[in-house]
Amino acid sequence: LPCEEGTYSMATKLTSAAECTATDPGFYATTGSTKQLECRAGTVAAGTRTATCVDCDAGTFMNASGGEVCHDCPPGYYCEAGAAAPLPCEEGTYSMATKLTSAAQCTETDPGFYATTGSTVQTQCSPGTYSDVPKQATCTPCGAGSYQDAPGATACEPCTPGHYCAEGAAAALPCAEGTYSGATDLASAAQCTETDPGFYATTG
């Protein structure tokens, strides 16, 4: 007669089921087994005498074989049922919560912010960049002729008259002395206009 499920034996001449050995936590044995087998990653066996291992619940994971208790999914990640490893929140989303069960539970970034893969928080766009829509992995540099001196911006400002702004400018730079401009879209110092004879211009 076979050893019952959850028990095993390599010995010969057993006389009763009581002489079969119960499996250890983290292992299982089917009916008539000669040895216990480790639970695969993503499954666990908390007790002894286990016939089958149990999938980790959604929101938890087990990244090794022979596991006894599933781990909580960490912040910035989610874990589907039976997960052998946590999966990161995709770029443009983030989460500080534990035990997320799907990517849909990660939070989209707000305009003016971005988040890289597996982020726990959203990060403000730095000066010289902006983000005007949610769920962004990166912020967009201000175009030439515009600037942004504040973090977390959703738009860039036109360059100041008497100044120029290269791409990604965090501040407007003044036209050099002897040059001037009333325009608000200059991208380089070369676009400032030289003074005519009989005229002068101070910096900016």
Short mmCIF file of all heavy atoms in Angstrom, two decimals, residues 195-200:
data_model
loop_
_atom_site.label_atom_id
_atom_site.label_comp_id
_atom_site.label_asym_id
_atom_site.label_seq_id
_atom_site.Cartn_x
_atom_site.Cartn_y
_atom_site.Cartn_z
N THR A 195 23.90 97.35 -31.62
CA THR A 195 23.46 98.75 -31.67
C THR A 195 23.98 99.44 -32.93
O THR A 195 25.02 99.07 -33.49
CB THR A 195 24.00 99.50 -30.43
OG1 THR A 195 25.42 99.41 -30.41
CG2 THR A 195 23.43 98.96 -29.14
N ASP A 196 23.24 100.44 -33.36
CA ASP A 196 23.66 101.25 -34.50
C ASP A 196 24.67 102.32 -34.05
O ASP A 196 24.74 102.64 -32.84
CB ASP A 196 22.44 101.98 -35.11
CG ASP A 196 21.43 100.99 -35.68
OD1 ASP A 196 21.85 99.94 -36.22
OD2 ASP A 196 20.21 101.26 -35.55
N PRO A 197 25.43 102.89 -34.99
CA PRO A 197 26.29 104.01 -34.64
C PRO A 197 25.46 105.16 -34.03
O PRO A 197 24.34 105.44 -34.50
CB PRO A 197 26.88 104.43 -35.99
CG PRO A 197 26.86 103.17 -36.80
CD PRO A 197 25.62 102.47 -36.40
N GLY A 198 25.97 105.72 -32.97
CA GLY A 198 25.25 106.78 -32.27
C GLY A 198 24.33 106.27 -31.19
O GLY A 198 23.66 107.07 -30.51
N PHE A 199 24.30 104.97 -30.99
CA PHE A 199 23.45 104.36 -29.95
C PHE A 199 24.29 103.44 -29.07
O PHE A 199 25.39 103.02 -29.44
CB PHE A 199 22.32 103.55 -30.60
CG PHE A 199 21.30 104.38 -31.31
CD1 PHE A 199 21.54 104.85 -32.60
CD2 PHE A 199 20.10 104.71 -30.71
CE1 PHE A 199 20.59 105.61 -33.27
CE2 PHE A 199 19.15 105.47 -31.36
CZ PHE A 199 19.40 105.92 -32.64
N TYR A 200 23.74 103.08 -27.91
CA TYR A 200 24.42 102.11 -27.02
C TYR A 200 23.36 101.25 -26.34
O TYR A 200 22.17 101.58 -26.35
CB TYR A 200 25.30 102.83 -25.99
CG TYR A 200 24.52 103.50 -24.88
CD1 TYR A 200 24.33 102.89 -23.66
CD2 TYR A 200 23.96 104.78 -25.08
CE1 TYR A 200 23.61 103.51 -22.65
CE2 TYR A 200 23.25 105.40 -24.08
CZ TYR A 200 23.08 104.76 -22.87
OH TYR A 200 22.36 105.39 -21.85
#
